[in-house]
Amino acid sequence: MRYLLFIFSITLFISCNKQEEDIKNYALLNGKVINHSENIIKLRDIDNKIIKEIEISTDGSFNDTLENIVTGYYRISLDKESSTIFLSPGTDISVNLDYQQFDETLIFEGNGSAENNYLSATYLKNENMGDTLTYAYLGSLDEASFIKTALDLKTKQLAFMTSQLGISEEFKELEEANLLYTWANRMQNYEAQRRYVSGDEEFKVSDEFNTFNEGLRLDDQSLANLSSYRNYLQNYYGAQIASDENLSKDYSLNYIKLIAKEVENEALRNSLLYANAQYGITFTSEVQPYYDIFMASSSNEEHKKEITEKYEKLIKVAAGKPSPKFINYENIDGTTTSLDDLKGKFVYVDVWATWCGPCKREIPHLKEITEAYKNKEIAFVSMSIDNPKDHDKWEQMVAEENLKGIQIFAPNAWESDFVQDYSILGIPRFILIDKEGNIVNANAPRPSQEELTELLNSLNI
């Protein structure tokens, strides 16, 4: 009997340890949603990858186990609404949510609720601050006013966080770092914001301004899964590239070279390479070297697989390849235009939209270059990818700005064939095609860049 009891005790001990081990590896999330149309809640990681899709039952309830959870911030979304949540192994939270009042009703209960209720309250506080957090407002401030505003924001956010009851020391330490690097990102972005808002392209911050970087680490492995820290590193290394006048204008290629060389921590290097490559490989004019550097420098097989898929699509639009075609796209004059209609001329395509600020800033330069080459064998095509519902806005801007060249409207915005075939993920985007319909440069220089004139002249246009 004592032997059987001993065996039972050992079994119970093993069982309890297994349960404790399991608890360390997963989090629990449940609740109920009303007034929703979508039936899937999506949970995304720091790389914006969907790691879990949680089904909502017909009565609005949901309940799921999130396995292999790494402590950190995640993004939870339902249809068009989303929020940041904090998860760690052992988290067990529930929420009753009204989709029509998503932010106001996002209140959690259970183990881990204090941290998540703080994040929800922080979002509402930031939302209520309105324009004071916008790009336009911060960029409108002179340097001294901006420094004070950014510091005040950080101080108030830190005070609010430390006033919360029930949050863990683990979360507090991580959130302090998050607030620090959120502030650092504001500081890092100020010069570009000021230039954009003021229109003064020569604006530079004072030498003393950049002392904010002092004491901030570039290799803190403990912050590898913190998006504000990753953003800071992206901004920091991006600033190094922008300040080096000896580099080419290919920002994406320069950036990935620098990350591969400077970032020793594997997790951080993989993250920064991937964050850039998702878009950067579609912007670079040097797809092959870009891809080669990424593959040699990243050790994340999932990342490498995804970027390889992008690469295989992009090499189809490499220089010398036949260009994808736009066929019968609506012209502003009521006719239609196809790429084949322009054979016998070089074609410079500007992919833009009325809502795109950088696109509109290129308009005066595009007018100048169109005028300068009006008697040459080149057609200037401006392709709007505005949403079809904004067709009238396109017509209005073409008229008001007296836009020249061939003005066409892509039928399905971002999903239009020409846009998809070129893997366009950001605008403005400029493409140069030769007289036979072959690609000269799928990422041609902008009208505002001297390199465009140099390129056109080199082709004897």
Side-chain angles (χ1 to χ4, degrees), residues 68-239:
N68 301 317
I69 286 295
V70 176
T71 297
Y73 301 92
Y74 295 80
R75 198 74 186 164
I76 189 169
S77 63
L78 175 60
D79 197 8
K80 296 179 181 179
E81 296 285 356
S82 65
S83 181
T84 299
I85 64 172
F86 178 80
L87 298 174
S88 61
T91 296
D92 185 356
I93 51 176
S94 62
V95 58
N96 291 321
L97 179 65
D98 183 343
Y99 178 80
Q100 299 301 324
Q101 294 182 298
F102 189 90
D103 300 323
E104 293 76 10
T105 59
L106 195 65
I107 300 174
F108 298 88
E109 296 180 350
N111 182 29
S113 60
E115 293 84 356
N116 286 293
N117 286 330
Y118 156 77
L119 291 174
S120 296
T122 298
Y123 180 83
L124 285 174
K125 284 175 67 69
N126 290 341
E127 191 175 56
N128 291 334
M129 293 181 72
D131 292 342
T132 58
L133 292 179
T134 63
Y135 193 96
Y137 173 74
L138 294 175
S140 71
L141 301 176
D142 62 49
E143 183 176 307
S145 299
F146 173 81
I147 292 173
K148 181 179 184 304
T149 298
L151 184 59
D152 286 347
L153 282 170
K154 184 181 73 167
T155 302
K156 289 176 182 178
Q157 289 169 331
L158 184 60
F160 179 66
M161 188 271 289
T162 54
S163 72
Q164 302 302 299
L165 299 177
I167 60 177
S168 67
E169 289 301 316
E170 178 184 41
F171 175 80
K172 187 178 294 186
E173 183 177 342
L174 190 62
E175 182 63 7
E176 284 177 351
N178 181 41
L179 295 176
L180 172 64
Y181 285 99
T182 297
W183 164 80
N185 285 323
R186 287 196 180 104
M187 298 293 287
Q188 194 75 265
N189 290 330
Y190 171 67
E191 187 172 84
Q193 289 176 334
R194 183 66 174 164
R195 286 180 178 179
Y196 181 80
V197 174
S198 68
D200 180 7
E201 292 293 338
E202 303 301 319
F203 172 79
K204 286 187 177 296
V205 295
S206 66
D207 292 339
E208 294 77 17
F209 183 93
N210 286 321
T211 58
F212 77 87
N213 284 303
E214 295 176 0
L216 300 179
R217 297 184 59 186
L218 300 176
D219 59 351
D220 194 335
Q221 185 175 0
S222 68
L223 303 180
N225 287 319
L226 192 64
S227 59
S228 58
Y229 181 63
R230 294 190 187 190
N231 290 339
Y232 170 74
L233 294 180
Q234 289 174 345
N235 289 329
Y236 178 85
Y237 287 115

Side-chain angles (χ1 to χ4, degrees), residues 29-40:
L29 179 63
N30 68 82
K32 191 169 185 177
V33 187
I34 61 173
N35 296 323
H36 62 98
S37 55
E38 290 284 331
N39 292 315
I40 297 293

Side-chain angles (χ1 to χ4, degrees), residues 156-440:
K156 289 176 182 178
Q157 289 169 331
L158 184 60
F160 179 66
M161 188 271 289
T162 54
S163 72
Q164 302 302 299
L165 299 177
I167 60 177
S168 67
E169 289 301 316
E170 178 184 41
F171 175 80
K172 187 178 294 186
E173 183 177 342
L174 190 62
E175 182 63 7
E176 284 177 351
N178 181 41
L179 295 176
L180 172 64
Y181 285 99
T182 297
W183 164 80
N185 285 323
R186 287 196 180 104
M187 298 293 287
Q188 194 75 265
N189 290 330
Y190 171 67
E191 187 172 84
Q193 289 176 334
R194 183 66 174 164
R195 286 180 178 179
Y196 181 80
V197 174
S198 68
D200 180 7
E201 292 293 338
E202 303 301 319
F203 172 79
K204 286 187 177 296
V205 295
S206 66
D207 292 339
E208 294 77 17
F209 183 93
N210 286 321
T211 58
F212 77 87
N213 284 303
E214 295 176 0
L216 300 179
R217 297 184 59 186
L218 300 176
D219 59 351
D220 194 335
Q221 185 175 0
S222 68
L223 303 180
N225 287 319
L226 192 64
S227 59
S228 58
Y229 181 63
R230 294 190 187 190
N231 290 339
Y232 170 74
L233 294 180
Q234 289 174 345
N235 289 329
Y236 178 85
Y237 287 115
Q240 307 309 304
I241 293 169
S243 63
D244 191 339
E245 296 179 354
N246 295 319
L247 295 175
S248 70
K249 299 294 185 181
D250 195 326
Y251 173 88
S252 297
L253 183 60
N254 292 331
Y255 178 89
I256 208 166
K257 284 181 178 178
L258 186 62
I259 297 303
K261 177 183 177 184
E262 297 291 335
V263 182
E264 296 182 2
N265 179 270
E266 182 179 13
L268 287 173
R269 184 176 65 252
N270 285 344
S271 173
L272 295 174
L273 290 171
Y274 176 68
N276 182 269
Q278 287 176 288
Y279 300 96
I281 195 169
T282 70
F283 285 107
T284 180
S285 297
E286 303 287 344
V287 173
Q288 189 64 55
Y290 184 103
Y291 175 72
D292 291 342
I293 293 170
F294 178 87
M295 295 299 285
S297 306
S298 175
S299 62
N300 186 303
E301 294 303 320
E302 288 187 12
H303 293 174
K304 291 164 80 170
K305 179 181 178 182
E306 180 180 330
I307 300 307
T308 295
E309 291 173 356
K310 290 180 180 290
Y311 162 76
E312 290 175 346
K313 189 174 181 181
L314 287 167
I315 58 175
K316 295 177 181 177
V317 289
K321 300 278 188 178
S323 173
K325 297 178 180 181
F326 53 87
I327 301 173
N328 294 331
Y329 280 17
E330 178 188 353
N331 196 301
I332 193 68
D333 64 10
T335 63
T336 61
T337 300
S338 301
L339 182 60
D340 284 346
D341 298 337
L342 306 174
K343 274 197 172 179
K345 290 184 177 182
F346 284 90
V347 181
Y348 183 71
V349 183
D350 166 21
V351 183
W352 73 293
T354 59
W355 47 262
C356 169
C359 300
K360 290 186 282 188
R361 293 177 70 182
E362 291 293 329
I363 288 176
H365 304 286
L366 182 58
K367 285 182 177 179
E368 288 178 8
I369 203 127
T370 301
E371 177 65 22
Y373 286 83
K374 66 180 180 180
N375 296 320
K376 306 292 185 179
E377 293 183 326
I378 183 170
F380 291 91
V381 177
S382 293
M383 179 186 296
S384 165
I385 59 167
D386 279 288
N387 191 296
K389 69 180 178 62
D390 293 325
H391 185 277
D392 58 335
K393 293 181 180 178
W394 167 65
E395 291 182 313
Q396 183 178 350
M397 183 168 287
V398 171
E400 289 179 351
E401 295 288 343
N402 190 26
L403 300 184
K404 304 297 183 181
I406 300 170
Q407 301 292 326
I408 59 177
F409 194 87
N412 298 306
W414 292 98
E415 301 303 316
S416 301
D417 291 343
F418 187 81
V419 178
Q420 287 290 303
D421 289 341
Y422 270 101
S423 299
I424 296 175
L425 298 176
I427 54 176
R429 175 72 172 270
F430 300 92
I431 300 163
L432 183 61
I433 302 165
D434 70 15
K435 296 179 180 181
E436 288 73 43
N438 298 318
I439 300 166
V440 175

